Structure formats: structure tokens, C-alpha cells
Amino acid sequence: MSTLEKSNQAQFMIELRDMNKWYGEFHVLKNINLQVQRGERIVICGPSGSGKSTMIRCINRLEEHQKGDIIVNGTELTNDLKNIELIRRDVGMVFQHFNLFPHLTVLENCCLAPIWVKKKPRAEAEATAMEYLERVKIPDQALKYPGQLSGGQQQRVAIARSLCMNPDVMLFDEPTSALDPEMIKEVLDVMIELADEGGMTMLCVTHEMGFAKTVADRVIFMDAGQIIEENEPHEFFNNPQHERTQLFLSQILQH
Amino acid sequence: MSSNRPSSESPTKPDSTPRFWNDPDKRALIFQGLIVLALGAFILTVVSNTLHNLEQRGITTGFDFLSVEAGFGILQSLIPYSEADSYGRTFIVGLLNTVLVSFLGIIAATFLGFLIGVGRLSKNWLLAKICAVYVEIFRNIPLLLQIFFWYFAVLRTLPSPRQSFELFGGYLNVRGLYLPAPILEDGFGIVWTALIVGIVATWLFKRWADKKHDESGREYPVGLIALGLIVGLPLLVFFFAGAPVTMDYPALKGFNFRGGVTLIPELIALWLALTIYTAAFIAEIVRGGILAVPHGQLEAASALGLPRGRTLRFIIIPQALRVIIPPLTSQYLNLTKNSSLATAIGYPDLVSVFAGTTLNQTGQAIEVIFMTMAVYLTLSVLTSIFMNWYNSRSALIER
């Protein structure tokens, strides 16, 4: 199980096979099967408590799954720390509450992992960081502390921080849910730009249906720990198959 | 002592000058003046009354008594002291003994407290439970009782010198712990030189390694090399210089041991009790500090692929330390002040020697108590200043 069979051209970027997870007695994820192509952009939605965050948090081992297989970029996720480390290098993550390091400046937040995980020279790490801060449009905030920034700015720093590690996959765990309405757009714009560049595999848990329509190659609907329905966005929104999906969509699209 | 209110009248109401006793500014002045008068009268009464009473009892005030011969012996002294020395010298002896036990206590309690605090957070169930039980036992028993326990129940029941326990070339018995003392011979100076060279070299190497790391990302085993330079180098020089040290071993002569260093049981008991008691509080402070770092910080570090050690060093410790240091300072102050319980088992600290024996013999209560309080105040303020300085260095700017 723990062999490092990392073929460069694994068929799928991410593959979940019959993945199950329990919190004690509670069965959070039930027989999840999911295959994600390289460069594919997936939006995951569903009611709260449906297990969507838990599912993507299993992919970089912030949560442990108990049954089934998770294979990321050809590496199987097991208890082997080596494998976990390998996968985490390839997978970036953006959190609902940003989780920036409050005691480090924006630039230091972005350089920490490249310097101490990828062993890059500081000057090179800083140059890369500035490049990504440029792309999320806040290079002028580089020397400030996270506490001095607005929520939207903090989330864009968090995205830049992940990108500095040059990941193949980006996981977004409700990146706009903690933001004021006027700041949601600036974060979504950055994410759309990232998607438009192509090449990045993206899994995004979000309720921003506009974003899903513009960006997603595929929308996945989850309920009660199961994937109920998946389809390309046009079909998903206009012609939902499952009753539960129809109900969910009617509720969130009312406004 | 003036009030903060602007005293100029508002220009829009030129005619509304209030009567003298209705003007808040003037009222405030009157009340403050009255308070100052009352306070002054009170102090005057107390001082003159005290002086009068002292005069009636034939006690001369002033600090002349400090140069009078003390005439009593002291169990432990860090400086040469005999009965022929003055009361002033008993003050210094007591002060040094207080500083000694406080200093030893602070060092040991910090180490033990950090270990227990981190241990209580361990994933190892047994270790975590043991640490929890430790904390709950030792912080919930009065310190005085703990001092009595170590002194009367443990150390006073040890065997007599003839049946001493032998440990590491030292002896433990009812009279204390007798340890061999190193006597430095000529030529030991070169070992000190080697130590200084080692420290300077380590500092230079660390700077060089940091610079190299910034430039190339390459890491050097700084810790290992520092160990080699600071410990290894002096050790090597020591042996090449022919080990210029002789040990003065304690030996049984008559009814007691002579030679070496002696730790009296009073010091050991007080040190143990202060350490163990304060460590329980420090453990909780450390645990609280670590738990105060939000879980999201750990998740973010994991998601970035930072290994555990690095996460601890760059994310957890800097954020925890800022929460830990202010209450840690309070514990250091508590320990220093609690050391005055020494008097209960006769450890010759400042309170026991100076505010005890010296006060009794001279009757100079006011001067003695005043000096003793001034000492504790000074020690505490010095500790506070140092810790505040350290805190401002480790405090994190966040905005």
C-alpha cells in the first residue's frame, strides 16, 4: 500500500474510490467515488452538514478517511508520512477563515513554506511571492500584517500563499462564506482569473452559483455524505435530475 | 492636582458665571485641597505618635544598629560570616539566601512547568493523565504544607551521617546533601578561553549559516555544530591541558562530613517545594498558551506541507509565547515572595534572619520591616522590568 509509485502521467489528478469516513458513530462520507482530470475545475455544493468540506479536507489529510482509497497525482494517501508530505506539496488549500499567520507579514506568510519546505533561497522565494501578490492585486500590502487588511484582501493573500508552493491542485473550502458581500467579488475575480489561465486543477466548495456557471467544468451535489448528482453546469442548473437537487437549487436561487 | 475641565467660561454665555460654590472647577479644587490636608494631618499624627512611643520605650531610631555586632550564627551563608559580624551583614546574608533559593526555584520551576504543560497536551494518554494529576495535586495543596512535607516527612527522616545514602560521589543524610566540589588549578584559564572562543564561534557560524540559508536555501546543522563548539571544544582543551581540576570529596570525619559543597536540608526542602508548587501553575500557563493558538493555524501550516517541528518553531511557539510570558512573570514574582515561608523551617532567608532574629534582638521593627519590604519590592520590580523587556521583544506586531 505504501509504495511510492508515482508515475508522472497518472490517469487522474485525484481519484477517490469507495471512500468512507466516520466521526465516531456518525457516518460522514459514504462510498464516495470521484475522478478528477488534470486541469479540471469542479464546484461542490450541497446543504450544510452534507460532508462537502470534509471530503476535500480528506484529500490533503487534514481529515483521515477510514475506508477506501484516495490517490492524488499517482500517490496513494496512506498513513505513510512520506506520502502525506508528497501530496501536501502538490495540493494547495484556501480556508473559509483564511488562516493567515497573524505574526508574520504578508510577504513572510507567502515565503515561509517555499523557504522551509521547498528550500528555496530567500530572494527567489520573495520574488515569486511578489509575483503572486501582483496577480491577486495587492503587491502594495506585502509588508503589512494580516490584521491590517480587509477580509477580501486577506483571502487573496491566502490564495497567493498557496500558489507560491506551485501546487497542481487547489482546494477551496468555502472561500467567500466569511466575507462581506462587497468583498466576495474581488476574491471570486481572482479565482476566475486563476481558472482562466488553465492548467490548475480546482476543487471548490462554494454556494456562489454564478461562479459555478462561469468557471466549473462539472458541478457536484452532495447530501448526507453522498454524491447525489454530478453534471456539467448548464445541465446541472437547468435540468437537475434528482429531487433533492431540485429542492436545494430552488431554495438557493430564490433570492 | 488641578481638574481637567477647561476653566474658561463658554463665550456664548458671558453672564452665566456661577456662584463660587457652584463652579465645578473651584469645587474640585476645594475638595482636593481638603483631602491633601486630611492626609497630611494623618501622616503627621502617625509619625509623631510613633516617635513619641519609641522615645518613651527608649528605642533609638535610625540605622545605626546596622553596624552593631550581631552575635548570632547563621546556618548557611554565601559570603563569609561569623557571629562577630554586624547586623548589616546579616541583612546581606539573608538577602543572598533569598536570592539563591528564588533563582534556583525559578530556573527549575520553568523547566519542570514547561515539560508538564507540554506533556499534558501529549497524545500519549498515560503521559497526559500523569501530568494532569500532577497539576491538580500540587497546585491544590497549600505551599506551607508542601514545605513541611519535604522538610519533616522526607528530609528529616533520612539516616544519620554514618548511614548516608551515597549518590554520584555525594552523600545524602539528615544533615543535608554533601557533594564533591571541583577545585580549579592553575591552567584552567585556558578552558574558560576555549569556552568563550566556542560561544563566539557559534555566534559567527549561526550568522553565516543564516545568511547562506537565505542565499541558497541550504540548511546547516547549526544545533549540532553549536553543541560541538560550546561543549566539545572546552572539553577537548580540558583534557589536553591535563585536566587541571581536583575534586574535593566530602569525607566522614567524626560525626559529620567535611569538604565538598553542602546543601542544607532546609534549602533542599524549600527549593523542592517552591519548584514543584510553582511548576504546577506554570504548566497550566504553558498549556493555556499553546491552546490559545487557533486550530486553523495548524491546519494552514499542514496544508502548506510544513513538518511538525517547523510548525512548532515558526507558528505555534511565537504565538503561544506572547500569551505565556505575562502570567509567567507573575509566577516568578509569587515564587520570590513565597520564598519567605522559609522562616517556617528555619532556612536563613531574609525574613527569617533579618526580619526575624535581627528584629528580635535589636527591636528596630520599623527600620527592619521597611528594609525587608523594600528588598522584596526591588526584587519584584527588577523581575518585572526584565520580563517586560523580554515580553516587548517577543511580543508580536500584528497590526
Side-chain angles (χ1 to χ4, degrees):
Chain A
M1 287 279 272
S2 62
T3 47
L4 294 176
E5 32 152 322
K6 177 161 179 169
S7 57
N8 265 336
Q9 223 40 54
Q11 200 185 350
F12 298 107
M13 191 69 222
I14 300 170
E15 194 175 3
L16 311 182
R17 285 194 297 235
D18 286 323
M19 197 253 282
N20 281 273
K21 173 168 180 61
W22 288 263
Y23 283 130
E25 291 287 293
F26 181 56
H27 201 168
V28 213
L29 295 173
K30 299 166 190 161
N31 294 321
I32 302 281
N33 282 291
L34 179 68
Q35 283 145 357
V36 183
Q37 306 279 351
R38 258 161 218 290
E40 199 179 4
R41 298 174 295 245
I42 293 180
V43 164
I44 302 155
C45 58
S48 71
S50 59
K52 38 192 202 310
S53 283
T54 312
M55 183 178 84
I56 68 166
R57 287 159 60 85
C58 282
I59 294 172
N60 65 349
R61 214 8 115 89
L62 291 185
E63 305 276 354
E64 203 175 318
H65 65 288
Q66 278 101 27
K67 216 178 120 193
D69 305 321
I70 298 177
I71 297 149
V72 180
N73 208 2
T75 308
E76 185 176 347
L77 189 55
T78 58
N79 274 328
D80 190 331
L81 286 173
K82 200 103 204 143
N83 284 11
I84 296 175
E85 227 165 83
L86 264 176
I87 287 174
R88 282 179 176 167
R89 276 168 173 245
D90 289 342
V91 179
M93 186 162 204
V94 174
F95 299 87
Q96 182 177 2
H97 297 290
F98 334 132
N99 297 355
L100 293 177
F101 306 127
H103 58 299
L104 303 177
T105 63
V106 165
L107 190 63
E108 287 165 344
N109 262 281
C110 293
C111 292
L112 187 71
I115 289 175
W116 292 103
V117 179
K118 292 214 158 165
K119 320 241 176 274
K120 281 196 192 173
R122 183 174 295 274
E124 192 189 322
E126 284 182 355
T128 316
M130 285 314 292
E131 216 171 277
Y132 282 112
L133 288 174
E134 206 95 41
R135 274 171 59 180
V136 301
K137 300 177 191 70
I138 35 174
D140 45 324
Q141 313 283 358
L143 298 180
K144 289 193 182 169
Y145 288 90
Q148 295 169 302
L149 307 184
S150 73
Q153 290 173 321
Q154 290 193 42
Q155 193 60 298
R156 286 186 279 150
V157 172
I159 294 173
R161 178 176 71 176
S162 288
L163 292 176
C164 282
M165 287 296 282
N166 245 326
D168 296 323
V169 183
M170 283 288 280
L171 307 174
F172 294 88
D173 187 2
E174 308 208 30
T176 56
S177 320
L179 295 176
D180 290 339
E182 72 263 35
M183 291 171 185
I184 292 178
K185 187 173 175 298
E186 63 185 58
V187 171
L188 288 180
D189 283 347
V190 164
M191 290 168 63
I192 291 170
E193 218 167 277
L194 181 66
D196 286 346
E197 282 167 25
M200 180 71 73
T201 310
M202 293 167 72
L203 270 76
C204 184
V205 174
T206 183
H207 292 137
E208 297 296 333
M209 290 305 139
F211 173 78
K213 282 176 192 162
T214 349
V215 164
D217 296 315
R218 192 158 34 131
V219 180
I220 288 175
F221 177 75
M222 287 182 71
D223 187 31
Q226 283 173 309
I227 294 179
I228 305 282
E229 187 167 348
E230 52 183 307
N231 217 329
E232 55 92 19
H234 186 77
E235 274 295 298
F236 180 84
F237 288 111
N238 296 322
N239 191 16
Q241 301 297 308
H242 205 278
E243 198 180 316
R244 189 70 190 81
T245 319
Q246 290 161 4
L247 180 67
F248 177 76
L249 286 177
S250 73
Q251 276 168 342
I252 65 166
L253 294 179
Q254 261 170 8
H255 306 290
Chain B
M1 278 223 178
S2 74
S3 112
N4 287 329
R5 285 164 172 274
S7 55
S8 62
E9 260 85 4
S10 152
T12 51
K13 295 185 201 165
D15 297 335
S16 68
T17 315
R19 281 170 193 276
F20 181 75
W21 51 87
N22 281 343
D23 185 334
D25 290 341
K26 285 170 187 151
R27 240 192 221 201
L29 263 178
I30 291 172
F31 281 124
Q32 289 182 41
L34 283 176
I35 289 173
V36 169
L37 269 179
L39 206 64
F42 175 71
I43 291 173
L44 206 68
T45 321
V46 169
V47 170
S48 71
N49 200 17
T50 311
L51 287 177
H52 177 74
N53 285 347
L54 287 174
E55 201 180 327
Q56 266 200 336
R57 293 183 193 184
I59 301 171
T60 45
T61 51
F63 292 92
D64 295 341
F65 72 96
L66 288 177
S67 51
V68 175
E69 188 186 305
F72 64 91
I74 299 179
L75 201 52
Q76 169 194 298
S77 174
L78 295 179
I79 52 172
Y81 173 84
S82 73
E83 293 179 12
D85 280 316
S86 66
Y87 285 122
R89 201 159 176 93
T90 66
F91 173 75
I92 306 287
V93 170
L95 171 62
L96 288 177
N97 284 342
T98 289
V99 170
L100 173 74
V101 75
S102 304
F103 180 75
L104 291 177
I106 284 175
I107 304 279
T110 306
F111 268 108
L112 190 62
F114 270 74
L115 283 182
I116 305 269
V118 172
R120 201 170 169 187
L121 290 172
S122 164
K123 281 190 182 133
N124 182 328
W125 184 86
L126 187 65
L127 182 63
K129 281 289 167 283
I130 289 174
C131 292
V133 168
Y134 172 95
V135 168
E136 292 312 334
I137 288 179
F138 287 107
R139 73 170 175 177
N140 288 321
I141 295 175
L143 176 57
L144 186 59
L145 214 56
Q146 294 193 36
I147 294 174
F148 284 158
F149 170 75
W150 291 111
Y151 187 61
F152 293 114
V154 178
L155 296 175
R156 285 274 119 185
T157 56
L158 286 172
S160 69
R162 286 183 181 283
Q163 279 95 42
S164 294
F165 294 120
E166 203 177 329
L167 355 115
F168 314 115
Y171 299 91
L172 183 66
N173 59 49
V174 70
R175 303 227 180 134
L177 181 62
Y178 295 80
L179 295 171
I183 294 174
L184 311 184
E185 291 173 359
D186 294 344
F188 195 81
I190 193 168
V191 179
W192 289 122
T193 317
L195 181 67
I196 292 166
V197 168
I199 290 171
V200 172
T202 302
W203 183 70
L204 288 174
F205 175 74
K206 170 91 168 72
R207 278 189 42 164
W208 177 82
D210 282 353
K211 194 155 154 277
K212 270 277 172 264
H213 176 248
D214 278 356
E215 279 166 9
S216 67
R218 219 192 123 187
E219 285 177 65
Y220 298 86
V222 176
L224 222 63
I225 286 171
L227 191 74
L229 283 172
I230 294 178
V231 179
L233 185 67
L235 219 61
L236 220 64
V237 169
F238 173 75
F239 285 116
F240 269 108
V245 157
T246 44
M247 296 303 269
D248 178 19
Y249 288 99
L252 193 60
K253 294 218 175 98
F255 291 110
N256 211 346
F257 281 93
R258 298 258 181 269
V261 203
T262 312
L263 293 183
I264 56 173
E266 289 80 12
L267 172 64
I268 302 173
L270 188 64
W271 183 26
L272 273 176
L274 284 174
T275 299
I276 289 171
Y277 177 78
T278 312
F281 289 92
I282 292 179
E284 284 299 273
I285 290 168
V286 168
R287 186 171 76 103
I290 293 174
L291 286 179
V293 180
H295 191 61
Q297 295 286 308
L298 269 177
E299 289 189 342
S302 304
L304 285 168
L306 277 179
R308 253 189 100 71
R310 294 275 148 82
T311 306
L312 214 61
R313 176 171 153 201
F314 294 116
I315 309 300
I316 309 292
I317 291 177
Q319 294 190 62
L321 221 49
R322 148 191 74 157
V323 182
I324 290 173
I325 287 176
L328 189 63
T329 309
S330 298
Q331 288 307 322
Y332 289 173
L333 301 183
N334 279 348
L335 189 146
T336 308
K337 289 176 288 178
N338 285 340
S339 74
S340 61
L341 288 171
T343 194
I345 53 168
Y347 172 75
D349 83 320
L350 186 66
V351 171
S352 165
V353 169
F354 193 64
T357 315
T358 297
L359 192 156
N360 277 333
Q361 293 195 3
T362 62
Q364 303 284 351
I366 294 178
E367 293 84 350
V368 166
I369 294 294
F370 175 78
M371 282 173 77
T372 310
M373 290 200 300
V375 162
Y376 281 100
L377 193 63
T378 311
L379 284 181
S380 295
V381 169
L382 285 180
T383 312
S384 285
I385 289 175
F386 172 76
M387 292 301 281
N388 285 345
W389 167 79
Y390 182 71
N391 190 33
S392 67
R393 274 199 53 200
S394 68
L396 306 158
I397 323 152
E398 284 193 0
R399 44 179 67 239

